[in-house]
């Protein structure tokens, strides 16, 4: 319903009495007790301090829909005479409606507008009871086997009896709203990624599966291999949570391992490692002298893992940290004025630098800032977003990625995982020079089984399948390359009726720019009206701005959106500033 853009007709703040009636309607529809003395997650959506608005919009297929927002975030929408919760509401109230489970690979299909079919349902058992007791057009949620959090909302296409009698064919859930659609991104400043709430499907124990690479497991295709790998992942997680079930590990050893895992990392070591990493990777490229107040935030701070702060270390201040590094001979500093120091030299031949193995730390942009910068893998609200398949670190792989300061629950893309595996194998010198195969150490054997030698691609694939699969909406950064040619943003001026000048901007979408948000920014910054027009024979829309604002748009693109100046044409059409007359 919200896969394609919609038009907003009105956005009105509701009164206190209307908010109370809406709350009572929600409580009655979902069989919740409306007791104002108690605070439930559902009741908090209609709190006294929350601003609830009624948004009336027209969908792409000209269907009128009413959406209710709480602090700009959509919480319910009205369709077919019913109030349907959004994914935001289901994340805070997971048990509000019954859920149907599907495989993670199905989510991109749902995001493209497909309904959830019966063959895609993953359920416990094959009996009539496995379909529950639901009626046609009941509101249901859709989640994934790897994550209990809802990724979609829809209406049942058939009753439970009919679903059981369909013979495994046909539509199961008519999807009304999916994570990543236009309703999810209704207000970019409050968007949120899917939270990790644990896996759904219970799998057989680890003893039912032989180790990876065993002669007993030789399937004809790759699909069973992935199923076995995922089963091993979940079984190891369950066995880690119950260490007493493993008779081979004594209680003393288990307590020692638990103490080592619970021991927090030393902030001093992490900050110094970040500094050494800068010297190793960027030392020869840094132009000196440089102010210490510039050197630290520009080079050192981006390399420090998230959650580590200077004030939590023994250094307390950046100046104290630099003095300690000077004492160790890692750099030289000079005080030009009182309180103003410059870094004059870096000792790249220091033994600590030479023996340090560099790493590449990858941080998702604005990952922790909710979805106003989209929480947990945030996106820039000014840029278009795209669904990206990611893999979250779980308990089974926590020891491996803990070497790179990647915490449990943090999501990585496949490229990052392969880079980490390449760094880990190289750092520990696990590649056999003769066979070019990787010799597994104890950490890798816990993930891959008892294999002695595996290839690096197979190792990376096994680790990737052992992680928890998830999805995020991420910004599309950088220009879109078409036919090997770089996309160019064209700025031109034209004359309309009444000899009025207008500014025309083309190819914004090729740089992943959210055109509607860009139009709002131009409208506020240039104090001019904007409209979107379609140009015959070209893809994408063209933005029209009343007046000659070439210079303003050019500066906005090159500063806020970081578009290279060479990728923008038409600056010569900018309005010339009038010269002031000399008195």
């Amino acid at each position: 319903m919200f896969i394609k853009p919609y038009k907003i007709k009105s956005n009105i703040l509701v009164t206190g009495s209307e908010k109370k009636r809406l709350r009572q309607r929600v409580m009655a529809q979902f069989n919740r007790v409306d007791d104002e003395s108690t605070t439930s997650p559902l009741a908090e959506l209609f709190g006294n301090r929350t601003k609830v608005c009624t948004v009336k919009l027209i969908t792409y297929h000209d269907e009128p829909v009413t959406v209710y927002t709480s602090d700009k975030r959509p919480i319910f929408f009205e369709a077919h005479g019913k109030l349907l919760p959004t994914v935001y509401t289901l994340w805070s109230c997971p048990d509000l409606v019954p859920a149907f489970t599907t495989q993670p690979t199905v989510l991109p299909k749902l995001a493209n507008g497909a309904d959830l079919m019966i063959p895609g349902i993953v359920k416990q058992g094959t009996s009539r009871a496995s379909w529950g007791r639901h009626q046609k057009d009941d509101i249901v949620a859709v989640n994934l086997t790897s994550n209990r959090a809802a990724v979609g909302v829809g209406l049942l296409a058939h009753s439970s009896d009919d679903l059981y009698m369909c013979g495994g064919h046909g539509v199961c859930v008519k999807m009304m709203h999916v994570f990543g659609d236009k309703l999810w991104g209704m207000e970019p400043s409050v968007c949120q990624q899917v939270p990790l709430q644990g896996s759904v499907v219970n799998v057989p124990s680890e003893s039912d599966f032989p180790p990876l690479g065993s002669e007993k497991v030789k399937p004809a295709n790759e699909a069973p291999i992935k199923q076995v790998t995922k089963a091993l992942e979940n079984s190891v997680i369950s066995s880690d949570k119950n260490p007493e079930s493993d008779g081979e590990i004594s209680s003393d050893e288990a307590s020692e391992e638990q103490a080592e895992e619970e021991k927090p990392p030393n902030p001093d070591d992490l900050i110094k490692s970040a500094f050494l990493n800068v010297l190793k990777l960027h030392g020869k490229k840094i132009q000196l002298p440089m102010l210490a107040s510039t050197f630290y935030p520009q080079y050192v701070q981006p390399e420090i893992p998230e959650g580590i702060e200077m004030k939590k270390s023994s250094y307390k201040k950046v100046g104290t940290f630099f003095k300690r590094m000077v004492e160790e001979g890692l750099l030289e500093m000079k005080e030009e004025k009182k309180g103003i120091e410059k870094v004059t030299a870096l000792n790249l031949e220091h033994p600590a630098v030479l023996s340090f193995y560099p790493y590449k730390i990858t941080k998702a942009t604005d990952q922790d800032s909710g979805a106003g910068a989209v929480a947990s893998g945030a996106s820039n609200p000014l840029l278009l977003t795209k669904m990206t398949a990611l893999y979250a670190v779980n308990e089974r792989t926590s020891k491996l990625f803990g070497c790179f300061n990647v915490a449990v629950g943090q999501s990585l893309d496949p490229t990052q995982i392969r880079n980490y595996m390449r760094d880990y194998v190289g750092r520990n010198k696990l590649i056999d020079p003769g066979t070019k195969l990787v010799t597994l150490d104890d950490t890798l054997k816990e993930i891959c089984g008892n294999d002695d030698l595996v290839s690096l691609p197979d190792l990376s694939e096994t680790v990737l399948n052992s992680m928890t699969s998830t999805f995020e909406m991420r910004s599309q950064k950088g220009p879109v390359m078409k036919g090997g040619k770089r996309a160019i943003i064209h700025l031109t001026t034209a004359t309309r009726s009444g000899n009025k000048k207008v500014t025309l901007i083309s190819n914004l979408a090729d740089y992943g720019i959210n055109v509607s948000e860009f139009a709002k920014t131009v409208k506020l910054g240039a104090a001019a009206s904007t409209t979107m027009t379609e140009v015959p024979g070209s893809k994408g829309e063209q933005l029209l701005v009343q007046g000659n604002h070439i210079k303003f748009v050019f500066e906005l693109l090159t500063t806020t959106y970081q578009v290279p100046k060479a990728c923008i044409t038409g600056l010569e059409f900018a309005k010339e500033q009038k010269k002031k007359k000399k008195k």
Side-chain angles (χ1 to χ4, degrees):
M1 178 175 282
F2 302 101
I3 301 299
K4 294 186 178 182
Y6 52 78
K7 295 180 181 180
I8 296 179
K9 291 296 182 181
S10 64
N11 188 348
I12 303 174
L13 180 67
V14 303
T15 61
S17 59
E18 291 173 337
K19 184 196 298 185
K20 186 176 181 179
R21 285 196 296 269
L22 178 60
R23 169 177 169 168
Q24 292 173 350
R25 182 184 174 187
V26 170
M27 294 297 183
Q29 179 176 322
F30 296 100
N31 299 322
R32 294 294 191 274
V33 178
D34 188 11
D35 188 357
E36 296 183 358
S37 61
T38 59
T39 57
S40 63
L42 187 60
E44 289 178 357
L45 299 175
F46 306 96
N48 295 330
R49 297 185 178 181
T50 58
K51 295 181 179 180
V52 178
C53 296
T54 301
V55 182
K56 294 187 180 296
L57 51 87
I58 304 296
T59 64
Y60 184 83
H61 298 289
D62 295 330
E63 298 178 18
V65 178
T66 302
V67 179
Y68 299 98
T69 64
S70 176
D71 290 336
K72 298 183 179 181
R73 181 171 291 167
I75 54 174
F76 289 96
F77 63 97
E78 194 166 359
H80 302 284
K82 296 182 178 181
L83 281 177
L84 281 77
T86 64
V87 291
Y88 296 115
T89 303
L90 293 177
W91 293 341
S92 59
C93 309
D95 300 326
L96 189 63
V97 295
F100 279 68
T101 304
T102 186
Q103 297 289 348
T105 53
V106 178
L107 180 57
K109 306 295 183 183
L110 301 180
N112 287 334
D115 290 328
L116 180 59
M117 309 301 287
I118 294 178
I121 298 295
V122 178
K123 61 185 188 306
Q124 300 290 340
T126 58
S127 63
R128 160 65 182 80
S130 63
W131 290 102
R133 297 180 178 179
H134 309 299
Q135 300 299 322
K136 183 180 178 180
D137 291 333
D138 279 358
I139 303 172
V140 295
V142 176
N143 58 20
L144 306 178
T145 56
S146 59
N147 191 2
R148 195 178 299 274
V151 295
V153 180
L155 302 175
L156 270 183
H158 308 281
S159 64
S160 297
D161 293 332
D162 292 339
L163 289 173
Y164 176 68
M165 298 300 295
C166 279
H169 301 286
V171 178
C172 179
V173 181
K174 294 181 289 185
M175 300 305 300
M176 308 295 290
H177 163 50
V178 185
F179 163 71
D181 63 8
K182 302 302 181 184
L183 181 60
W184 170 85
M186 185 175 189
E187 178 55 47
S189 62
V190 295
C191 290
Q192 183 183 348
Q193 300 290 357
V194 181
L196 295 176
Q197 297 180 354
S199 58
V200 177
V201 178
N202 294 323
V203 294
S205 61
E206 184 179 1
S207 60
D208 294 340
F209 293 95
L212 293 179
S214 174
E215 296 180 357
K216 297 180 181 180
V217 181
K218 289 185 178 180
N221 51 29
E222 295 182 358
I225 295 178
K226 294 184 178 180
Q227 295 175 2
V228 172
T229 309
K230 291 182 179 179
L232 282 173
E233 169 199 347
N234 293 328
S235 62
V236 172
I237 291 176
S238 60
S239 63
D240 289 342
K241 293 181 179 178
N242 300 297
E244 296 178 0
S245 62
D246 192 352
E248 298 180 0
I249 301 178
S250 63
S251 59
D252 295 338
E253 292 177 353
S255 61
E256 291 178 1
E257 291 179 359
Q258 186 176 2
E260 291 179 358
E261 292 178 357
E262 294 178 354
K263 186 178 179 181
N266 188 356
D268 293 2
D269 296 338
L270 295 177
I271 294 174
K272 185 177 179 181
S273 296
F275 176 71
L276 293 175
N277 199 52
V278 170
L279 299 187
K280 194 78 172 183
L281 295 177
H282 312 292
K284 296 181 180 180
K285 303 176 184 178
I286 299 175
Q287 296 181 357
L288 300 176
M290 179 183 295
L291 289 173
S293 59
T294 304
F295 181 85
Y296 181 80
Q298 185 172 348
Y299 290 100
V300 182
Q301 196 167 11
E303 302 292 333
I304 298 177
E306 296 179 5
I308 304 299
E309 299 178 5
M310 183 65 74
K311 63 182 180 181
K312 294 181 180 179
S313 66
S314 62
Y315 304 118
K316 300 299 181 184
K317 296 182 180 180
V318 176
T320 307
F321 169 72
F322 278 130
K323 288 180 181 179
R324 194 77 59 84
M325 297 300 102
V326 171
E327 293 174 359
E328 296 183 14
L330 289 168
L331 57 81
E332 296 179 5
M333 299 185 68
K334 181 181 178 181
E335 186 175 9
E336 287 194 347
K337 297 179 183 179
K338 187 175 181 180
I340 299 177
E341 293 184 335
K342 283 188 175 182
V343 179
T344 57
L346 302 174
N347 187 4
L348 303 181
E349 302 298 327
H350 193 280
V353 179
L354 296 176
S355 60
F356 182 79
Y357 192 89
Y359 61 88
K360 294 181 180 180
I361 187 166
T362 53
K363 296 183 180 181
T365 56
D366 302 333
Q367 186 164 358
D368 295 342
S369 50
V374 181
S376 176
S379 290
N380 186 343
L382 299 177
L383 300 177
L384 293 174
T385 53
K386 181 181 180 181
M387 183 172 290
T388 306
L390 299 178
Y391 298 86
V393 178
N394 51 28
E395 295 183 13
R396 185 181 180 187
T397 56
S398 60
K399 187 176 180 181
L400 171 63
F401 290 98
C403 304
F404 304 99
N405 301 316
V406 180
V408 175
Q410 186 171 340
S411 300
L412 304 171
D413 58 43
T415 303
Q416 291 173 311
I417 296 172
R418 293 186 181 94
N419 290 338
Y420 279 136
M421 294 308 304
R422 194 178 295 109
D423 290 348
Y424 181 85
V425 170
R427 182 184 301 183
N428 294 280
K429 300 179 180 179
L430 300 178
I431 296 182
D432 189 346
T435 59
K436 301 296 182 181
L437 298 177
V438 179
T439 303
L440 302 184
D441 58 5
D442 294 338
T443 301
L444 295 177
K445 284 184 179 180
E446 292 179 2
I447 301 174
C448 304
N450 297 323
D451 289 351
D452 294 330
L453 297 174
V454 295
S455 63
L456 184 58
D458 292 342
L459 175 62
S460 300
E461 189 68 20
T462 302
V463 172
L464 189 141
N465 290 331
S466 300
M467 303 174 71
T468 303
S469 60
T470 183
F471 292 86
E472 287 186 2
M473 300 299 294
R474 289 192 168 184
S475 300
Q476 302 178 24
K477 295 183 178 180
V480 179
M481 305 301 288
K482 296 181 178 179
K485 296 182 180 180
R486 181 185 290 269
I488 300 296
I489 296 178
H490 297 291
L491 307 180
T492 57
T493 57
T495 304
R496 292 294 186 260
S497 59
N499 199 27
K500 293 181 179 179
K501 290 286 186 180
V502 295
T503 303
L504 302 175
I505 311 165
S506 306
N507 297 334
L508 289 174
D510 289 343
Y511 280 76
I513 295 175
N514 192 331
V515 182
S516 60
E517 292 297 323
F518 183 84
K520 288 182 183 178
T521 306
V522 174
K523 184 176 181 179
L524 294 174
S529 61
T530 60
T531 54
M532 301 298 302
T533 58
E534 293 185 1
V535 181
S538 63
K539 294 183 179 180
E541 294 180 309
Q542 187 180 60
L543 179 63
L544 184 149
V545 185
Q546 294 290 339
N548 189 335
H549 299 286
I550 295 286
K551 189 172 183 181
F552 173 80
V553 173
F554 181 82
E555 292 178 354
L556 180 65
L557 289 170
T558 54
T559 56
T560 304
Y561 290 89
Q562 300 294 318
V563 177
K565 295 181 180 180
C567 299
I568 305 174
T569 62
L571 186 60
E572 63 273 12
F573 299 113
K575 187 177 180 180
E576 296 182 359
Q577 294 181 352
K578 296 181 180 180
K579 296 182 180 180
K580 294 182 180 180
K581 296 182 179 180
K582 295 181 180 180
K583 294 182 180 179

